[in-house]
């Protein structure tokens, strides 16, 4: 009879040692975030609001060339402003890097599979762009006519979507202000 209480005490002591501390309940991953809490300019690929891939705005042309991991050629030179694009693209580069005063200041994307920070991409309708960036869009009219939608970032950077006659994004660019607003490249 004496053995039973001793055995019961030992079992209780062992179970207390194995008990894990209570964990606070985690918020389920499926709980939707309020729209105002999400960052609509969040980068999800190579296109970023601070650069493209490993390239960051403010790098010198030499640093861009080294960081690109592919040979770049100068195109569209206009004094201290020019573009660098993959040498193998021969005028059909999906992405071009603008350099002004030896600093990387903008990149332009013409088609391809890249999405802009926030999810906008070539081929989307103007309405889809406005829905992706609610309350952040501003209409513009490029010098050549047409239409553009500008999304302002929070660090002196913006995204500009050029809208074709069909009402869809023909190309887009991300860059520092004021260079991102140059509708004709370096001009």
């Amino acid at each position: 009879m004496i053995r039973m209480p001793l055995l019961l005490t030992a079992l209780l002591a062992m179970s207390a040692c194995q008990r894990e501390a209570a964990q606070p309940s985690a918020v389920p991953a499926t709980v939707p975030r309020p729209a105002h809490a999400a960052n609509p300019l969040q980068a999800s690929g190579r296109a970023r609001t601070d650069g493209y891939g490993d390239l960051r705005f403010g790098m010198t042309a030499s640093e861009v060339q080294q960081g690109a991991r592919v040979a770049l050629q100068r195109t569209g030179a206009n004094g201290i402003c020019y573009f660098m694009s993959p040498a193998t693209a021969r005028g059909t580069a999906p992405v071009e890097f603008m350099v002004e005063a030896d600093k990387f200041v903008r990149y332009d994307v013409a088609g391809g599979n890249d999405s802009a920070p926030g999810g906008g991409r070539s081929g989307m309708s103007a309405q889809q762009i406005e829905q992706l960036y609610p309350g952040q869009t501003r209409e513009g009219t490029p010098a050549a006519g047409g239409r553009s939608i500008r999304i302002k970032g929070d660090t002196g950077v913006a995204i500009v979507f050029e809208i074709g006659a069909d009402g869809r994004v023909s190309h887009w660019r991300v860059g520092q202000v004021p260079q991102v607003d140059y509708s004709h490249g370096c001009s």
Side-chain angles (χ1 to χ4, degrees):
M1 289 278 255
I2 298 176
R3 290 185 190 173
M4 186 61 106
L6 189 56
L7 182 58
L8 185 57
T9 304
L11 286 173
L12 285 174
M14 285 177 31
S15 67
C17 291
Q18 294 177 355
R19 196 176 290 172
E20 293 182 21
Q23 299 291 325
S25 63
V27 177
T30 58
V31 173
R33 289 183 168 184
H36 66 277
N39 179 359
L41 299 183
Q42 182 70 31
S44 61
R46 294 179 294 188
R48 306 165 48 104
T49 56
D50 63 348
Y52 185 87
D54 293 334
L55 309 178
R56 297 291 171 265
F57 295 133
M59 286 180 144
T60 65
S62 172
E63 291 169 329
V64 168
Q65 179 65 61
Q66 291 171 357
R69 297 188 188 119
V70 61
L72 299 175
Q73 63 185 0
R74 285 177 63 151
T75 62
N78 181 5
I80 62 169
C81 181
Y82 57 92
F83 282 88
M84 297 175 76
S85 60
T88 57
R90 292 196 179 122
T92 60
V95 64
E96 294 184 305
F97 308 103
M98 179 190 273
V99 175
E100 187 175 76
D102 198 40
K103 298 291 181 198
F104 172 41
V105 294
R106 161 181 147 180
Y107 61 92
D108 292 33
V109 178
N113 294 324
D114 279 330
S115 292
R121 60 187 312 132
S122 294
M124 285 185 153
S125 71
Q127 183 179 14
Q128 288 173 308
I129 296 298
E130 290 165 349
Q131 289 172 350
L132 276 175
Y133 306 92
Q136 298 182 39
T137 61
R138 185 182 84 199
E139 288 281 330
T141 304
R147 177 179 172 209
S148 67
I149 299 176
R150 185 179 191 271
I151 290 85
K152 184 181 183 322
D154 55 4
T155 58
V157 172
I159 305 169
V160 176
F161 294 95
E162 297 292 342
I163 310 299
D166 63 355
R168 299 201 169 276
V169 175
S170 58
H171 58 282
W172 52 272
R173 58 187 178 268
V174 177
Q176 297 176 335
V177 175
Q179 293 89 353
V180 72
D181 295 317
Y182 301 167
S183 61
H184 284 72
C186 288
S187 57

